[in-house]
Amino acid sequence: MVGPEMYAAVQAAIGKDDASIAVRPVQCLSVCKRPATVAVTSPDGYTFLFGDLQTESGTAALVSFVQSYQKSDFGLVPWRERAEVLRKGMVARVPPIRWSPDDGRAPK
C-alpha cells in the first residue's frame, strides 16, 4: 500500500522538523482512483489535494510545496513552484472557508 508508506515518508521528512506542521493520516479522502492522495491545508489558506503520488517522488515534492505554502499568502503557491508530479496530480484547490465569493477579497 502506498498510503502508509507515503505517510511515514512525509512524517519523517517534515513532520518532526517543524512544530507548525502536523502530518497525520486520515482514513479516506474519497479519491479512490488516485492513490496516494494527500491534502495540504491551513486555517486561513487554500486546501490542495494531490493524487497519484508515489512515495519517493511525492515526498520530495510535498516537502518543497509545504515550504512554499508556508511562505505564500493564503497558501497560494505559484504553479511554477510546484513540482511536476504535483502539477499532474492536482485533484482540487479549495478556497479558505472565510473567502468571499461575492467580492473576491482575501479572507480576513
Side-chain angles (χ1 to χ4, degrees), residues 32-99:
C32 303
K33 294 182 179 182
R34 299 192 66 185
T37 300
V38 174
V40 177
T41 191
S42 65
D44 292 323
Y46 274 82
T47 297
F48 287 85
L49 288 177
F50 301 107
D52 303 318
L53 299 178
Q54 298 298 313
T55 303
E56 187 173 312
S57 61
T59 300
L62 285 167
V63 169
S64 176
F65 182 82
V66 167
Q67 291 168 345
S68 294
Y69 184 92
Q70 288 179 307
K71 295 174 189 172
S72 66
D73 291 333
F74 312 108
L76 285 172
V77 176
W79 186 256
R80 68 185 174 281
E81 289 183 29
R82 300 177 202 167
E84 185 68 23
V85 68
L86 299 182
R87 292 178 191 172
K88 289 181 178 181
M90 175 67 75
V91 174
R93 183 182 83 179
V94 182
I97 196 158
R98 292 184 284 183
W99 191 265

Side-chain angles (χ1 to χ4, degrees), residues 7 10-11 14-16 18-25 39 41 66 70:
Y7 166 70
V10 170
Q11 184 180 39
I14 60 176
K16 296 177 182 176
D18 187 338
S20 69
I21 300 173
V23 178
R24 61 185 178 92
T41 191
V66 167
Q70 288 179 307

